[in-house]
Amino acid sequence: MSRHHPKDTTLADFAAGTLDEGRSLVIATHLALCGQCRGFVAALEDVGGAMLEQIAPVALSDGASARVLDRLAPRSLAPKAPTAPKIWAADRDELLGYRLGPWRWVSPGLHYRAVDVPAAKDSRVFMLKAAPGLKLPSHLHTGTELTCVLAGAFIHEGGRYGAGDCDDADHDDAHSPVIDAGEECVCLVAMQGQIKFTSILGRMIQPFIRL
Amino acid sequence: MPTVVKGAKSSADLAALIEAVAADQDRAAFAALFDYFAPRIKGFLIRGNTPPAAAEELAQEAMLTVWRKAAQFDRNRAGASAWIFTIARNLRIDVARRDQRARLLDLEVEDDLEQPAPPDALLLAVERESRVQAALQALSDDQMRVVRLSFFEGKPHADIANELELPLGTVKSRIRLAMNRMRELLGDLT
Ligand SMILES: [Zn+2]
């Protein structure tokens, strides 16, 4: 069960389709692990349905209906949605249909792998794997960062973030996360804007995430 | 013959029409869905700044998607209008952004960390819909307006600020308060 959820406005942007693709991937991952947020997104889609019913209709051109009826092809039956993939497993190089790059060593106890989101222009999407007890570089955001924990846990000023939890940080939050003892922590991160790392460790990671 | 725009239909009637398309490839049921939804989808797209000619094409495209995907509709999971909203929304994404996010929005993922809820704990779509209707009543007119502009029409905050002649900060905080309120009222839905 997740205890840390994305902001309501982030979920609303996701459900509206206006959240960028990189962050949408992080949200889709959280939703796969969080029934409560799935419920809220479904409710927002009901809001969309209600507004669609109330909207002033704009008539289509004459004969549009007949033309579309002419285009209807016979359907083969049973076109149910294909069964969905597992979201992620340690031995898979794919996440919800996105290709994952190889794990790269960053510093003792810390690895990084890119997530190939072709359309992500101003955001970077990647996974971090950190050893138990590791202190991650403290950093100051100057953009937005969205994180979903896939395995293990980290702890920072906002609390403990375990598997399925989402950290939807504000641009002015300063964080210095520590990886929980006992288990390696794997996170999915979408980052926009610049990050200013304040430690040597932070500067080591910068080349990988093209800051 | 010009397309006739009919008035409100009940959610159950609309669901039955989609089910008839799914089960029997019922063309009359499809025509009724077209008459009801195509002009609304066109209106929806125009509000979201799609040029009218493109909105006309896309509304037809959306209805063809309804025909193709009708068998995926499940009235226990989503109301008819909500389901058609997601089709129109995904088309709007495909046209505007040309990326993969519509696929992410449609994903039905196998949940491998969380225990699935037992079937009797799942809220039926029809109950959720009535909760949503009540929650919308609880929003102020100002909040309702920003929810419509930002969520439904998908407009950037800066455009909304222009349209309503409000400072950007006011728009942002109004959207945040409206969504927090919605979450308060609907956050227990699973
Ligand atoms: Zn959640």
Side-chain angles (χ1 to χ4, degrees):
Chain A
M1 280 294 272
S2 306
R3 283 157 306 158
H4 295 282
H5 306 280
K7 289 181 194 133
D8 312 330
T9 46
T10 306
L11 289 170
D13 290 347
F14 173 82
T18 52
L19 194 68
D20 67 276
E21 187 177 2
R23 280 184 292 169
S24 290
L25 174 58
V26 179
I27 294 300
T29 304
H30 175 71
L31 291 179
L33 306 171
C34 181
Q36 225 181 311
C37 286
R38 279 200 301 273
F40 186 56
V41 167
L44 287 170
E45 289 173 347
D46 288 339
V47 170
M51 289 181 168
L52 188 63
E53 285 185 33
Q54 288 156 15
I55 201 173
V58 178
L60 275 74
S61 58
D62 286 357
S65 168
R67 282 197 300 280
V68 169
L69 278 158
D70 279 347
R71 285 173 66 192
L72 297 181
R75 279 185 295 104
S76 56
L77 288 176
K80 280 274 176 197
T83 33
K86 289 239 181 235
I87 58 150
W88 181 73
D91 58 349
R92 298 260 312 273
D93 53 7
E94 190 209 279
L95 174 77
L96 298 181
Y98 292 88
R99 214 164 42 80
L100 302 175
W103 283 113
R104 292 177 187 282
W105 185 87
V106 176
S107 62
L110 185 63
H111 289 79
Y112 161 94
R113 89 192 291 188
V115 181
D116 186 15
V117 180
K121 290 179 202 78
D122 56 346
S123 69
R124 304 161 194 92
V125 190
F126 55 90
M127 283 164 84
L128 287 178
K129 181 167 70 178
L134 188 75
K135 284 190 173 64
L136 284 177
S138 81
H139 52 256
L140 271 170
H141 302 277
T142 56
T144 59
E145 180 181 319
L146 192 60
T147 302
C148 182
V149 181
L150 296 169
F154 65 79
I155 296 155
H156 66 47
E157 292 85 338
R160 182 182 185 275
Y161 293 74
D165 280 339
C166 195
D167 186 8
D168 194 351
D170 273 319
H171 61 89
D172 50 357
D173 293 345
H175 285 156
S176 41
V178 180
I179 306 304
D180 206 4
E183 201 188 338
E184 195 173 63
C185 178
V186 182
C187 296
L188 173 68
V189 184
M191 192 185 279
Q192 284 192 308
Q194 295 280 305
I195 272 207
K196 286 183 182 142
F197 286 102
T198 52
S199 71
I200 291 169
L201 198 52
R203 286 196 287 277
M204 291 174 75
I205 202 177
Q206 291 199 359
F208 294 104
I209 49 184
R210 292 174 285 129
L211 290 169
Chain B
M1 182 187 73
T3 303
V4 180
V5 176
K6 299 201 178 69
K9 277 185 161 55
S10 83
S11 182
D13 288 349
L14 294 169
L17 290 172
I18 300 173
E19 285 161 357
V21 170
D24 308 319
Q25 308 201 26
D26 184 329
R27 297 170 73 89
F30 179 81
L33 286 169
F34 189 97
D35 289 348
Y36 185 76
F37 280 112
R40 284 175 169 77
I41 296 169
K42 185 176 173 183
F44 162 76
L45 292 165
I46 289 173
R47 295 270 197 97
N49 290 336
T50 305
E56 165 104 15
E57 282 301 311
L58 286 170
Q60 297 179 36
E61 202 53 53
M63 294 311 298
L64 287 166
T65 304
V66 168
W67 173 261
R68 280 196 305 275
K69 289 194 171 171
Q72 289 174 23
F73 173 71
D74 176 356
R75 71 160 79 198
N76 291 325
R77 297 176 50 117
S81 298
W83 187 70
I84 289 183
F85 164 74
T86 64
I87 289 175
R89 172 203 64 193
N90 289 359
L91 268 173
R92 180 174 75 187
I93 297 170
D94 288 343
V95 169
R97 340 257 170 191
R98 303 180 190 285
D99 66 23
Q100 292 283 309
R101 88 184 73 160
R103 190 181 59 77
L104 288 170
L105 284 152
D106 262 0
L107 220 53
E108 284 176 35
V109 184
E110 200 179 306
D111 189 335
D112 51 4
L113 287 191
E114 195 175 53
Q115 290 297 316
D120 58 357
L122 287 172
L123 194 70
L124 289 178
V126 53
E127 300 168 51
R128 192 184 62 227
E129 261 185 321
S130 68
R131 289 275 306 277
V132 166
Q133 293 290 351
L136 286 174
Q137 300 292 323
L139 295 185
S140 70
D141 289 349
D142 283 344
Q143 288 177 331
M144 189 72 177
R145 195 169 299 124
V146 292
V147 168
R148 180 175 291 115
L149 291 165
S150 72
F151 169 70
F152 183 64
E153 300 182 10
K155 290 198 170 118
H157 293 172
D159 293 8
I160 298 170
N162 273 335
E163 191 169 330
L164 300 181
E165 296 178 349
L166 288 170
L168 185 59
T170 306
V171 168
K172 282 181 191 288
S173 67
R174 201 172 279 177
I175 292 170
R176 194 173 57 242
L177 286 172
M179 282 303 164
N180 289 352
R181 185 97 183 91
M182 296 287 284
R183 184 81 196 227
E184 255 169 52
L185 295 165
L186 301 167
D188 59 327
L189 301 172
T190 53

